[in-house]
Short mmCIF file of all heavy atoms in Angstrom, two decimals:
data_model
loop_
_atom_site.label_atom_id
_atom_site.label_comp_id
_atom_site.label_asym_id
_atom_site.label_seq_id
_atom_site.Cartn_x
_atom_site.Cartn_y
_atom_site.Cartn_z
N TYR G 246 32.92 43.72 120.21
CA TYR G 246 33.28 42.41 120.77
C TYR G 246 32.70 42.30 122.18
O TYR G 246 33.39 42.59 123.17
CB TYR G 246 34.80 42.24 120.83
CG TYR G 246 35.50 42.27 119.49
CD1 TYR G 246 36.26 43.37 119.11
CD2 TYR G 246 35.41 41.19 118.62
CE1 TYR G 246 36.92 43.39 117.89
CE2 TYR G 246 36.07 41.21 117.39
CZ TYR G 246 36.82 42.31 117.04
OH TYR G 246 37.47 42.33 115.83
N PRO G 247 31.44 41.91 122.31
CA PRO G 247 30.80 41.85 123.64
C PRO G 247 31.53 40.96 124.64
O PRO G 247 31.45 41.20 125.85
CB PRO G 247 29.41 41.30 123.32
CG PRO G 247 29.17 41.64 121.88
CD PRO G 247 30.51 41.54 121.23
N THR G 248 32.26 39.96 124.15
CA THR G 248 32.94 39.04 125.07
C THR G 248 34.07 39.72 125.84
O THR G 248 34.51 39.21 126.87
CB THR G 248 33.50 37.83 124.31
OG1 THR G 248 34.37 38.30 123.26
CG2 THR G 248 32.39 36.99 123.71
N THR G 249 34.55 40.86 125.34
CA THR G 249 35.64 41.56 126.05
C THR G 249 35.15 42.22 127.33
O THR G 249 35.97 42.63 128.16
CB THR G 249 36.28 42.62 125.14
OG1 THR G 249 35.28 43.59 124.76
CG2 THR G 249 36.87 42.00 123.89
N LYS G 250 33.84 42.32 127.48
CA LYS G 250 33.31 42.93 128.71
C LYS G 250 33.76 42.15 129.94
O LYS G 250 34.01 42.73 131.00
CB LYS G 250 31.78 42.97 128.65
CG LYS G 250 31.14 43.63 129.86
CD LYS G 250 29.62 43.70 129.70
CE LYS G 250 28.98 44.35 130.93
NZ LYS G 250 27.51 44.43 130.81
N ALA G 251 33.91 40.83 129.78
CA ALA G 251 34.34 40.00 130.91
C ALA G 251 35.73 40.38 131.38
O ALA G 251 36.05 40.27 132.57
CB ALA G 251 34.30 38.52 130.50
N VAL G 252 36.59 40.83 130.46
CA VAL G 252 37.95 41.24 130.83
C VAL G 252 37.90 42.48 131.72
O VAL G 252 38.58 42.56 132.75
CB VAL G 252 38.80 41.52 129.58
CG1 VAL G 252 40.20 41.99 129.98
CG2 VAL G 252 38.89 40.28 128.70
N PHE G 253 37.06 43.44 131.33
CA PHE G 253 36.94 44.66 132.14
C PHE G 253 36.31 44.36 133.50
O PHE G 253 36.71 44.94 134.51
CB PHE G 253 36.11 45.70 131.38
CG PHE G 253 36.78 46.24 130.16
CD1 PHE G 253 36.38 45.84 128.89
CD2 PHE G 253 37.83 47.13 130.26
CE1 PHE G 253 37.00 46.34 127.76
CE2 PHE G 253 38.47 47.64 129.14
CZ PHE G 253 38.05 47.23 127.88
N GLU G 254 35.32 43.48 133.52
CA GLU G 254 34.69 43.13 134.79
C GLU G 254 35.69 42.46 135.72
O GLU G 254 35.67 42.67 136.93
CB GLU G 254 33.50 42.19 134.53
CG GLU G 254 32.31 42.89 133.90
CD GLU G 254 31.16 41.92 133.62
OE1 GLU G 254 31.43 40.70 133.56
OE2 GLU G 254 30.02 42.39 133.48
N LYS G 255 36.57 41.66 135.15
CA LYS G 255 37.59 40.97 135.94
C LYS G 255 38.52 41.95 136.63
O LYS G 255 38.86 41.80 137.81
CB LYS G 255 38.39 40.03 135.04
CG LYS G 255 39.61 39.41 135.70
CD LYS G 255 40.42 38.60 134.70
CE LYS G 255 41.73 38.12 135.32
NZ LYS G 255 42.56 37.38 134.33
N HIS G 256 38.93 42.99 135.91
CA HIS G 256 39.92 43.93 136.45
C HIS G 256 39.30 45.15 137.11
O HIS G 256 39.87 45.70 138.06
CB HIS G 256 40.86 44.40 135.33
CG HIS G 256 41.76 43.33 134.81
ND1 HIS G 256 42.88 42.89 135.49
CD2 HIS G 256 41.70 42.58 133.67
CE1 HIS G 256 43.48 41.95 134.80
NE2 HIS G 256 42.80 41.73 133.69
N TYR G 257 38.14 45.61 136.62
CA TYR G 257 37.56 46.85 137.11
C TYR G 257 36.34 46.66 137.99
O TYR G 257 35.96 47.55 138.74
CB TYR G 257 37.14 47.76 135.94
CG TYR G 257 38.24 48.10 134.96
CD1 TYR G 257 37.93 48.64 133.71
CD2 TYR G 257 39.58 47.88 135.25
CE1 TYR G 257 38.92 48.96 132.80
CE2 TYR G 257 40.58 48.18 134.34
CZ TYR G 257 40.25 48.72 133.12
OH TYR G 257 41.22 49.03 132.22
N GLY G 258 35.70 45.49 137.87
CA GLY G 258 34.45 45.28 138.59
C GLY G 258 33.26 45.66 137.72
O GLY G 258 33.39 46.37 136.72
N GLU G 259 32.09 45.20 138.09
CA GLU G 259 30.89 45.43 137.28
C GLU G 259 30.40 46.87 137.37
O GLU G 259 29.70 47.35 136.48
CB GLU G 259 29.77 44.48 137.72
CG GLU G 259 30.10 43.01 137.50
CD GLU G 259 28.96 42.10 137.91
OE1 GLU G 259 27.92 42.63 138.34
OE2 GLU G 259 29.11 40.87 137.80
N GLY G 260 30.76 47.58 138.45
CA GLY G 260 30.25 48.93 138.64
C GLY G 260 30.66 49.91 137.57
O GLY G 260 29.96 50.89 137.31
N CYS G 261 31.80 49.65 136.91
CA CYS G 261 32.30 50.59 135.90
C CYS G 261 31.36 50.70 134.70
O CYS G 261 31.41 51.69 133.98
CB CYS G 261 33.68 50.16 135.43
SG CYS G 261 34.97 50.50 136.65
N PHE G 262 30.53 49.70 134.47
CA PHE G 262 29.69 49.72 133.27
C PHE G 262 28.43 50.55 133.45
O PHE G 262 27.64 50.69 132.53
CB PHE G 262 29.36 48.29 132.85
CG PHE G 262 30.58 47.54 132.42
CD1 PHE G 262 31.25 46.70 133.29
CD2 PHE G 262 31.11 47.72 131.15
CE1 PHE G 262 32.40 46.03 132.91
CE2 PHE G 262 32.26 47.06 130.76
CZ PHE G 262 32.90 46.22 131.63
N SER G 263 28.24 51.08 134.64
CA SER G 263 27.13 52.02 134.85
C SER G 263 27.58 53.45 134.59
O SER G 263 26.79 54.38 134.64
CB SER G 263 26.61 51.90 136.29
OG SER G 263 27.63 52.25 137.21
N CYS G 264 28.87 53.61 134.28
CA CYS G 264 29.44 54.95 134.05
C CYS G 264 29.35 55.30 132.56
O CYS G 264 29.83 54.54 131.72
CB CYS G 264 30.89 54.99 134.51
SG CYS G 264 31.74 56.53 134.12
N PRO G 265 28.76 56.46 132.22
CA PRO G 265 28.65 56.85 130.81
C PRO G 265 30.00 57.19 130.19
O PRO G 265 30.12 57.30 128.98
CB PRO G 265 27.74 58.08 130.85
CG PRO G 265 27.92 58.64 132.22
CD PRO G 265 28.13 57.45 133.11
N GLY G 266 31.03 57.35 131.02
CA GLY G 266 32.34 57.72 130.51
C GLY G 266 32.98 56.69 129.61
O GLY G 266 33.90 57.00 128.87
N GLN G 267 32.48 55.45 129.66
CA GLN G 267 33.10 54.40 128.85
C GLN G 267 32.99 54.71 127.36
O GLN G 267 33.77 54.22 126.56
CB GLN G 267 32.47 53.04 129.14
CG GLN G 267 30.99 52.96 128.82
CD GLN G 267 30.44 51.55 128.99
OE1 GLN G 267 30.75 50.67 128.22
NE2 GLN G 267 29.65 51.35 130.02
N SER G 268 32.02 55.53 126.97
CA SER G 268 31.87 55.88 125.56
C SER G 268 32.98 56.80 125.08
O SER G 268 33.26 56.87 123.89
CB SER G 268 30.51 56.56 125.34
OG SER G 268 29.45 55.71 125.71
N PHE G 269 33.62 57.51 126.01
CA PHE G 269 34.64 58.48 125.64
C PHE G 269 36.03 58.11 126.16
O PHE G 269 36.99 58.80 125.86
CB PHE G 269 34.27 59.87 126.19
CG PHE G 269 33.02 60.44 125.59
CD1 PHE G 269 31.79 60.23 126.18
CD2 PHE G 269 33.08 61.17 124.42
CE1 PHE G 269 30.63 60.74 125.63
CE2 PHE G 269 31.93 61.69 123.85
CZ PHE G 269 30.70 61.48 124.45
N GLU G 270 36.13 57.03 126.93
CA GLU G 270 37.43 56.67 127.51
C GLU G 270 38.13 55.62 126.67
O GLU G 270 37.51 54.67 126.18
CB GLU G 270 37.24 56.15 128.94
CG GLU G 270 36.81 57.23 129.92
CD GLU G 270 36.57 56.68 131.31
OE1 GLU G 270 36.52 55.45 131.46
OE2 GLU G 270 36.43 57.48 132.25
N GLN G 271 39.44 55.79 126.54
CA GLN G 271 40.24 54.83 125.82
C GLN G 271 40.66 53.70 126.76
O GLN G 271 40.68 53.87 127.98
CB GLN G 271 41.50 55.50 125.26
CG GLN G 271 41.22 56.66 124.32
CD GLN G 271 42.49 57.39 123.93
OE1 GLN G 271 43.58 56.83 124.00
NE2 GLN G 271 42.35 58.64 123.54
N VAL G 272 41.01 52.57 126.18
CA VAL G 272 41.45 51.43 126.99
C VAL G 272 42.65 51.82 127.84
O VAL G 272 42.72 51.48 129.02
CB VAL G 272 41.80 50.23 126.07
CG1 VAL G 272 42.40 49.09 126.90
CG2 VAL G 272 40.57 49.75 125.33
N GLN G 273 43.59 52.56 127.27
CA GLN G 273 44.79 52.94 128.02
C GLN G 273 44.46 53.89 129.17
O GLN G 273 45.10 53.84 130.23
CB GLN G 273 45.81 53.58 127.09
CG GLN G 273 45.34 54.84 126.38
CD GLN G 273 46.31 55.31 125.32
OE1 GLN G 273 47.38 54.73 125.14
NE2 GLN G 273 45.95 56.37 124.60
N GLU G 274 43.45 54.72 129.00
CA GLU G 274 43.06 55.64 130.07
C GLU G 274 42.45 54.87 131.24
O GLU G 274 42.75 55.17 132.41
CB GLU G 274 42.06 56.67 129.54
CG GLU G 274 42.65 57.64 128.54
CD GLU G 274 41.61 58.54 127.90
OE1 GLU G 274 40.42 58.16 127.88
OE2 GLU G 274 41.97 59.61 127.40
N THR G 275 41.61 53.90 130.94
CA THR G 275 41.00 53.13 132.02
C THR G 275 42.03 52.27 132.74
O THR G 275 41.97 52.10 133.95
CB THR G 275 39.88 52.22 131.48
OG1 THR G 275 40.43 51.28 130.55
CG2 THR G 275 38.81 53.03 130.78
N ALA G 276 43.00 51.75 131.99
CA ALA G 276 44.05 50.94 132.61
C ALA G 276 44.88 51.79 133.57
O ALA G 276 45.21 51.36 134.68
CB ALA G 276 44.95 50.33 131.54
N SER G 277 45.20 53.01 133.15
CA SER G 277 45.97 53.91 134.01
C SER G 277 45.19 54.27 135.27
O SER G 277 45.74 54.28 136.37
CB SER G 277 46.33 55.18 133.23
OG SER G 277 46.97 56.12 134.06
N MET G 278 43.90 54.53 135.11
CA MET G 278 43.07 54.91 136.25
C MET G 278 42.95 53.78 137.27
O MET G 278 42.85 54.01 138.47
CB MET G 278 41.68 55.33 135.78
CG MET G 278 40.79 55.87 136.87
SD MET G 278 39.17 56.40 136.25
CE MET G 278 39.66 57.74 135.16
N HIS G 279 43.00 52.53 136.78
CA HIS G 279 42.86 51.38 137.66
C HIS G 279 44.19 50.75 138.03
O HIS G 279 44.24 49.65 138.59
CB HIS G 279 41.95 50.33 137.01
CG HIS G 279 40.52 50.74 136.92
ND1 HIS G 279 40.04 51.57 135.92
CD2 HIS G 279 39.44 50.46 137.70
CE1 HIS G 279 38.74 51.76 136.09
NE2 HIS G 279 38.36 51.11 137.16
N ASN G 280 45.30 51.45 137.69
CA ASN G 280 46.64 50.97 138.06
C ASN G 280 46.95 49.59 137.49
O ASN G 280 47.49 48.72 138.18
CB ASN G 280 46.81 50.94 139.58
CG ASN G 280 46.68 52.30 140.20
OD1 ASN G 280 47.11 53.28 139.60
ND2 ASN G 280 46.09 52.38 141.36
N ILE G 281 46.58 49.38 136.24
CA ILE G 281 46.84 48.10 135.59
C ILE G 281 47.75 48.34 134.40
O ILE G 281 47.55 49.28 133.63
CB ILE G 281 45.53 47.43 135.14
CG1 ILE G 281 44.66 47.11 136.36
CG2 ILE G 281 45.80 46.16 134.35
CD1 ILE G 281 43.30 46.57 136.01
N GLU G 282 48.76 47.49 134.25
CA GLU G 282 49.65 47.61 133.10
C GLU G 282 48.84 47.45 131.82
O GLU G 282 48.07 46.49 131.67
CB GLU G 282 50.74 46.53 133.16
CG GLU G 282 51.75 46.72 134.28
CD GLU G 282 52.67 47.90 134.02
OE1 GLU G 282 52.82 48.28 132.85
OE2 GLU G 282 53.23 48.43 134.99
N ILE G 283 49.01 48.37 130.89
CA ILE G 283 48.23 48.35 129.65
C ILE G 283 48.48 47.06 128.88
O ILE G 283 47.56 46.51 128.25
CB ILE G 283 48.56 49.59 128.79
CG1 ILE G 283 47.70 49.60 127.51
CG2 ILE G 283 50.03 49.64 128.44
CD1 ILE G 283 46.22 49.68 127.75
#
Side-chain angles (χ1 to χ4, degrees):
Y246 297 108
T248 56
T249 60
K250 182 177 179 180
V252 178
F253 292 105
E254 289 178 339
K255 171 185 173 183
H256 292 284
Y257 304 165
E259 297 181 1
C261 286
F262 294 97
S263 62
C264 174
Q267 62 174 289
S268 300
F269 295 92
E270 291 178 348
Q271 302 173 23
V272 174
Q273 60 189 357
E274 292 173 338
T275 62
S277 175
M278 186 178 296
H279 290 81
N280 298 324
I281 297 175
E282 291 289 338
I283 182 62

